[in-house]
Amino acid sequence: MRAMLLVNPKATTTNPRTRDVLIRALGAAIELTVEETGYRGHAAALAAKASAGGFDAVAVLGGDGTVNEAVNGLLSTGAATAEERPALIVIPGGSANVFARALGLPNDPVEATGAVLEALREGRRRSVGLGQALWEDESRYFTFTSGMGYDAEVIRAVEGMRGTGRKATPARYVNTALRHYIATDKRTPAITLSGPGLPTTEGIFLAIITNTSPWTYMGARPIIPTPWASFETGLDMLGLQRLGLPTLLPVIRQILTERDTLPTGRHLVQLHDEAEFTLTAERPVAFQLDGDYLGERESITFRATPNALQVLV
């Protein structure tokens, strides 16, 4: 097997010594070409190059943002099926590593490498579906989540802090979310949901769209707003039509509890296993995709892409 390994040298939870150990371990099992990412979008360009160059797999040592770029690079080359694309190998190196953990990989990069080497020896592959967000003349795939509204605003604020050198820790996300909640407009929701076969629903403050479960992690604790979401089904969504504490606190309590039932309560908008829907906003609303802030948008269509990618896991 020929594989290209994309290494994010700024990954949160790895250091040069650990990266060298992991590279040697992978290189002993497969024919490995190592490339370091140097700028935003670089992983996508390298993954597309690997696909066009006939590599059998693209491995990523980095966080969810680097994985997302690599996935979009793999799907940009026009291959019709997952079998025609290089397989994906994920070694978690970020702060949350939601996609890797949703696949069942250990959160520790050394342990995850051991699991990947075992999958290589046994020839194990898993076909996974992806989500796709389309707006204006752009589109982008996501592996585990997208969102409009409050959650994207929190991600925007944390990214600003990361730009000053501070790490994106669970505590920083919680503190930022609390501070941002106090300043959030809780009176004028902007988002409307529509889609084939769906009733139009207005007055949504925030929408969490998921391709799998959990949505994210708070340290070791999974956060589960859409417990039925999976890589084998369409897209799920949890929307809130109220941001007051009587609505918000019960939902938070439920999504922090590992359960297989949907959150209950008033003012919730929920979707499961949908092929396509559109969120339209009366004003520009913050938008995130796999934890990456992508600006403010007024209309985004979300589509499920089944069996989009093969993952060695």
Side-chain angles (χ1 to χ4, degrees), residues 4 29 58 64 78 117-118 149 175 193 211 213 215 247 295 307 312:
M4 179 181 288
V58 169
D64 287 311
L117 291 173
E118 183 179 282
N175 292 335
L193 165 70
N211 185 52
S213 185
W215 167 49
T247 298
N307 302 315
L312 286 159

Side-chain angles (χ1 to χ4, degrees), residues 237-302:
M237 190 192 89
L238 174 65
L240 268 63
Q241 293 178 295
R242 298 284 189 277
L243 284 184
L245 292 179
T247 298
L248 202 57
L249 290 178
V251 172
I252 291 173
R253 183 175 64 251
Q254 292 177 74
I255 69 177
L256 288 175
T257 304
E258 293 190 48
R259 48 191 286 156
D260 58 6
T261 57
L262 296 175
T264 59
R266 300 175 61 191
H267 312 302
L268 305 183
V269 181
Q270 294 170 301
L271 300 177
H272 170 60
D273 193 14
E274 290 293 335
E276 180 179 320
F277 55 89
T278 298
L279 297 176
T280 305
E282 296 176 357
R283 58 183 181 272
V285 173
F287 166 51
Q288 67 88 9
L289 189 147
D290 278 353
D292 186 12
Y293 176 67
L294 293 180
E296 294 185 336
R297 309 295 173 195
E298 294 182 359
S299 181
I300 304 173
T301 295
F302 297 92

Side-chain angles (χ1 to χ4, degrees), residues 55-137:
F55 281 81
D56 302 300
V58 169
V60 180
L61 174 54
D64 287 311
T66 308
V67 172
N68 178 274
E69 286 192 12
V71 165
N72 276 274
L74 288 173
L75 270 77
S76 71
T77 56
T81 66
E83 290 76 14
E84 294 173 343
R85 301 182 184 105
L88 180 68
I89 298 172
V90 181
I91 308 296
S95 58
N97 306 308
V98 179
F99 181 58
R101 294 159 86 174
L103 290 168
L105 287 168
N107 196 36
D108 178 81
V110 176
E111 293 181 12
T113 301
V116 165
L117 291 173
E118 183 179 282
L120 284 166
R121 287 193 298 270
E122 297 179 2
R124 294 200 311 264
R125 294 180 179 227
R126 177 180 179 182
S127 182
V128 301
L130 298 172
Q132 185 182 19
L134 304 96
W135 67 98
E136 298 172 1
D137 58 347

Side-chain angles (χ1 to χ4, degrees), residues 160-235:
M161 296 179 194
R162 292 181 68 181
T164 65
R166 286 177 282 184
K167 291 185 177 180
T169 62
R172 177 148 290 129
Y173 273 106
V174 171
N175 292 335
T176 302
L178 290 172
R179 289 197 305 270
H180 204 73
Y181 176 78
I182 295 171
T184 295
D185 177 5
K186 305 176 186 62
R187 295 174 296 176
T188 53
I191 301 171
T192 296
L193 165 70
S194 61
L198 296 174
T200 299
T201 305
E202 300 178 342
I204 299 172
F205 277 101
L206 73 91
I208 295 168
I209 301 95
T210 58
N211 185 52
T212 189
S213 185
W215 167 49
T216 188
Y217 289 83
M218 184 183 297
R221 180 188 291 274
I223 303 178
I224 308 176
T226 54
W228 300 345
S230 80
F231 293 124
E232 287 74 39
T233 61
L235 299 178

